[in-house]
Each structure stands twice: as C-alpha cells, then as structure tokens.
Amino acid sequence: MVSRTHYAFNSTKGNLRKPDLVGLLEEEWLQDEAGEKGYLFSEYTLQKYLDLEYRLGEKVLTSGEESLLTKSTGERKKLLLNYQLAQNPDFIILDHPFDGLDAETVAHIKEQFKVLAETTTIIQFYTRSEDILAFCNMALHWKDGRFVKGRTLEKAKFFQHKISQKPIPKALVTYYNLSEVLIDFRDISVAFGEKPVLQHINWQVKRGESWQLTGVNGSGKTTLLSMITGDSVKGYGKELYIFGSKKGSGESVWEIKKKIGYVTPVLTERFDGMHSVSDMIIGGIYDSVGLYKRPTTLERKIAEEWIELIGLQDKATKRFRDLSEVAKRLVLIARAMIKNPPLLILDEPTFALGDADAALVVSLINTLSSGSDVAILFVSHRTEPGLEVSKKFHLTKGEKGSTGQERISLTG
Ligand SMILES: Nc1ncnc2c1ncn2[C@@H]1O[C@H](COP(=O)(O)OP(=O)(O)OP(=O)(O)O)[C@@H](O)[C@H]1O
C-alpha cells in the first residue's frame, strides 16, 4: 500500500521553461513533505553530463572506456536513471521519463518506479495520459509562476482530432527516372569498431509504401536512417542502393538529400529566427532556412494550400518560433512535403506531444500516406493510435548486432 503522495503534471498545458523545472527542486512545500534530497531526471540533466564529458572529459554516468556521447537516446536515459536511483533520493522529478524509450524498457522502469514509490516521492511530468504512473495520486498545477498542488488527475480520453480534409496541393517539383525501389539494403552489416550493430540487413522500400521502423533502444534505427540520409559514412562500399544508385558511386549526398523530406523535433530548434510560417514552408522547396530569392506566384499559392491543409491559415504571417509545439511539427511536415519528395522520413514526429496534438500529427501522416505518392518511413517507440502504416520493419537486438525482419503491421 503506497502511503506517500505522488504527483503528476500535465505539461501540455503550462508553458514551462527549464529554470521552472529546476526551481521545483527547491520548492519549500515539496522539501517539507518529502525531504531535501531531490533529483531531476530530465533531458536537461543528461545534456549537462554530456557537456561535462564533451568539454572536460569528465565521466559521471559511465566509467572506463564507456562514453555517454556514443550511447543511443535510450541507453543514456537508463544510465542516468540508474545513477540517480543509486543516490537514494527523497524525491525525484521525472521529466517525461518514457519519451524515446522502447516498450520493454518502459515496462521495466515502471516496475522500478513502483518499488521506489514506497520510499521516495515521485513527481511526474507527462504529455501522454498512457504514461501516467498508476500510483500518482495528485495533480500538480502551474500557478502564478509556481508549482502548486491540485486535486484529481485527468482521466485518459481517446482523441480523434483530425486534420482538414483538403486535398494535397499540387507537386511543384518532378523527379524523372525515379526507380521503383527507393531504398535497398542488401545483406548489410555495420559495426562501430569492435561493436557489431546491424547484421545482414535486407530491406526494400518501394515508392508509395508506408513503413514504421521499430526496435528496442540501441537496436540501430538511427544508424539505419543515417545511412539512408547520408549523415553516416557507414553505407559506403556496401550493397546499399538509394534511389537506384549504389551509395557512394552515383548521386552525391546533396542530390540524395534533395529527394528526402526529413522531419525530427530537433529541427524546430534550428529555426529560431524571424521566419514566418509561409517562408518556412516555401523554404522547403530549396531546403533553405531563409528565402534567398523572391518566391513565384505559384510557389506562394502552393504554400498557402499547404497552410490551409494543416489548418494554420490565421498564422501564415506569424513567426514560426512563436507557434505552439504541435503547429511547429505540422509546419515542418508541410515544409518537407512541398518539394514533393519520393521519401519522407519522420523521426519521432509525435515526441513529447500531448494526446490530442499527437492525434493531429498522425492524421496528417495518414492524409499524406493515402493522398500522395510519397513513401513514408515513420520511426517512433509509441504505437500511435490510428496511425495507418501498412508495413513494419523490426530490428531485433542480438549479440552479433541487430537483425531485421518485416512484420505485419497491426495498426491502421
Ligand atoms: N559513433 C558511435 N560509436 C560507437 N557506438 C555507436 C556510435 N553510434 C551508435 N553507436 C551504438 O550503436 C548502437 C545503435 O545505436 P542507434 O542510435 O542507431 O540505436 P537506436 O535504435 O536509434 O536507439 P534509440 O531508440 O535509443 O534512439 C548503440 O548501441 C550505440 O551505442
């Protein structure tokens, strides 16, 4: 029987900054109730340890040859959590603890938290209601610049938010002589030094197909994606064919990138200038951050249609950086799509969004998948309700690296 009070905070509602989160560590009522020794389990804390290793070579979460810098997202989180739990905290603030973690790890960590909850006060920040820890019995609110105790927790709802039903705008760019098979991994194995990561991968992505790439943390999803986009040299000299050409022998990285629309939440941080929503989307035609030449009337018209499709008509002249997080994601997807790429890579596009916002992004992906010729490669640890992907490629981790299997998709 859990006698402590544990808190949950719905962070889709508050507009919190990092210092606010850190400030909770010093909150008097919390320290009076739980004790003074508090830890913040957060991406923010991880960044500090990464910085420490990068700048000073100082390792806190790893020892010996092991480096935090080369660990995958999930591996880093696990290291941080184990370190903080070993310090016997009085309370711990879990800042979206499950984002980016695979289902197996989430289930394991949930068990760890259950045991921890008997001796330690837990404060959980969440955006997805499925993440709320069962023992969290009180809501936390943000009021007048402080965290205050609330009452009941919100119940989970099923969200059916949908994007407008407008048709997909006309293509501005045409790609000639495009191969039917866009991506072709032929018996590809990859290792980092002595460490095997991928073994004998065979995978074909054809035009117009929609795929979800799955696999536990550290199974090699990012490695696989970076071989496609050209951000990793690992594909060179291997039987990897991108848009029909063997990697390294045909098209340049730049030419490959032109045919790929790439969306990841990290991109939003890159556009923190004065760019309007409209300029952001038009910039996608040339993959430029700002606009270096005056857009044509047709380009403006097509951008307007994309803006209408994502339902941001009233925000076209607004600055991108001032948009809500979900609006930014929708704009990034429209920006990636305006050049009519044969391949759209969506790397955790719903990361850290709330239930309703994630449903909106999923709805846009479904619209693109059914209404355009684009092949979609969707990477996420979550099984998004309502996402219509017809194929799944799963990486199974093993001693000699991960193997890949095509699986029947149960979504949609
Ligand atoms: N530059 C590198 N040097 C050494 N090891 C690396 C390097 N890059 C990746 N790795 C290792 O390769 C493995 C696969 O990493 P990758 O980031 O591709 O996994 P992932 O499936 O994307 O993981 P996650 O879901 O946690 O993001 C991990 O064990 C990681 O530590």
Side-chain angles (χ1 to χ4, degrees):
M1 180 75 180
V2 178
S3 52
R4 282 176 177 256
T5 307
H6 301 287
Y7 301 90
F9 180 86
N10 182 347
S11 64
T12 52
K13 299 223 172 108
N15 198 9
L16 290 179
R17 297 163 306 127
K18 281 171 204 150
D20 299 330
L21 254 185
V22 179
L24 183 56
L25 286 168
E26 306 292 328
E27 191 58 69
E28 242 172 74
W29 66 259
L30 182 58
Q31 293 198 349
D32 287 347
E33 189 178 302
E36 288 183 5
K37 198 171 167 189
Y39 283 86
L40 175 62
F41 176 73
S42 167
E43 189 52 41
Y44 177 62
T45 317
L46 256 180
Q47 284 305 326
K48 282 209 302 199
Y49 287 123
L50 283 165
D51 220 39
L52 211 58
E53 184 177 327
Y54 185 69
R55 284 172 201 266
L56 307 172
E58 208 172 300
K59 294 176 181 177
V60 179
L61 306 184
T62 57
S63 56
E65 289 296 295
E66 256 199 318
S67 157
L68 191 61
L69 295 166
T70 61
K71 297 282 176 200
S72 76
T73 321
E75 289 168 336
R76 288 174 183 173
K77 275 193 146 179
K78 284 182 227 174
L79 283 166
L80 177 65
L81 186 63
N82 289 339
Y83 171 79
Q84 292 185 330
L85 296 191
Q87 314 302 313
N88 294 320
D90 294 322
F91 68 93
I92 188 164
I93 303 164
L94 305 173
D95 178 16
H96 307 94
F98 306 127
D99 283 351
L101 293 184
D102 59 70
E104 227 171 85
T105 308
V106 169
H108 175 73
I109 294 186
K110 279 190 173 172
E111 282 305 309
Q112 270 182 297
F113 287 152
K114 211 159 119 186
V115 176
L116 183 74
E118 286 165 24
T119 53
T120 303
T121 298
I122 291 179
I123 302 107
Q124 182 188 6
F125 284 68
Y126 71 94
T127 51
R128 303 297 287 264
S129 43
E130 66 172 3
D131 285 352
I132 302 174
L133 290 160
F135 51 76
C136 282
N137 40 13
M138 196 175 269
L140 201 64
H141 296 297
W142 178 249
K143 202 168 168 227
D144 304 328
R146 286 188 61 192
F147 287 100
V148 292
K149 297 182 192 190
R151 282 193 194 142
T152 48
L153 278 172
E154 269 186 37
K155 295 270 184 306
K157 290 179 211 136
F158 181 70
F159 288 91
Q160 281 187 306
H161 286 55
K162 284 222 163 72
I163 210 79
S164 77
Q165 294 303 301
K166 298 219 160 37
I168 293 186
K170 214 174 89 195
L172 272 176
V173 185
T174 311
Y175 300 90
Y176 296 101
N177 304 322
L178 203 60
S179 58
E180 186 55 30
V181 179
L182 302 178
I183 307 294
D184 195 357
F185 283 82
R186 297 188 196 164
D187 199 28
I188 304 261
S189 299
V190 170
F192 287 103
E194 295 290 293
K195 184 179 177 185
V197 173
L198 298 169
Q199 64 157 321
H200 305 301
I201 299 294
N202 286 291
W203 184 30
Q204 283 195 341
V205 174
K206 296 190 183 129
R207 286 165 78 165
E209 289 182 342
S210 54
W211 287 86
Q212 178 162 8
L213 176 61
T214 58
V216 298
N217 293 124
S219 58
K221 299 180 296 297
T222 309
T223 306
L224 209 65
L225 285 189
S226 62
M227 286 163 74
I228 299 172
T229 56
D231 295 318
S232 160
V233 293
K234 291 288 180 196
Y236 294 98
K238 298 204 159 97
E239 292 294 304
L240 173 57
Y241 295 80
I242 313 277
F243 305 120
S245 302
K246 189 169 174 186
K247 188 83 185 278
S249 67
E251 297 180 304
S252 67
V253 172
W254 173 237
E255 280 166 321
I256 291 172
K257 280 192 187 294
K258 273 207 281 196
K259 294 193 187 120
I260 299 177
Y262 184 75
V263 176
T264 173
V266 183
L267 277 180
T268 55
E269 289 156 27
R270 213 180 284 170
F271 301 106
D272 59 353
M274 307 295 281
H275 325 289
S276 69
V277 166
S278 171
D279 289 354
M280 276 286 293
I281 294 179
I282 296 171
I285 305 168
Y286 306 100
D287 279 326
S288 64
V289 174
L291 292 185
Y292 299 104
K293 62 176 195 162
R294 189 190 287 268
T296 64
T297 312
L298 180 64
E299 287 171 348
R300 286 218 168 277
K301 179 173 170 288
I302 299 291
E304 268 168 35
E305 288 175 17
W306 274 107
I307 292 171
E308 273 177 38
L309 174 70
I310 59 175
L312 295 182
Q313 300 87 312
D314 56 333
K315 306 232 164 32
T317 55
K318 291 253 170 340
R319 280 189 304 202
F320 174 77
R321 71 173 190 202
D322 295 334
L323 296 181
S324 68
E325 199 50 43
V326 63
K328 283 180 184 168
R329 305 279 170 97
L330 298 174
V331 170
L332 283 181
I333 296 176
R335 176 184 157 86
M337 280 300 294
I338 197 169
K339 64 178 179 182
N340 184 33
L343 178 66
L344 176 66
I345 298 179
L346 300 166
D347 192 358
E348 300 266 7
T350 57
F351 188 86
L353 293 181
D355 296 321
D357 291 345
L360 206 57
V361 171
V362 164
S363 158
L364 176 59
I365 299 170
N366 289 343
T367 299
L368 300 178
S369 160
S370 61
S372 80
D373 294 335
V374 72
I376 293 178
L377 191 43
F378 175 88
V379 187
S380 172
H381 288 292
R382 289 185 192 274
T383 303
E384 287 295 353
L387 179 72
E388 290 158 15
V389 286
S390 51
K391 291 169 163 261
K392 205 174 249 187
F393 192 71
H394 184 76
L395 294 175
T396 307
K397 219 170 163 181
E399 291 262 304
K400 295 183 194 147
S402 298
T403 53
Q405 301 84 26
E406 189 173 329
R407 286 191 174 169
I408 295 167
S409 176
L410 297 175
T411 53

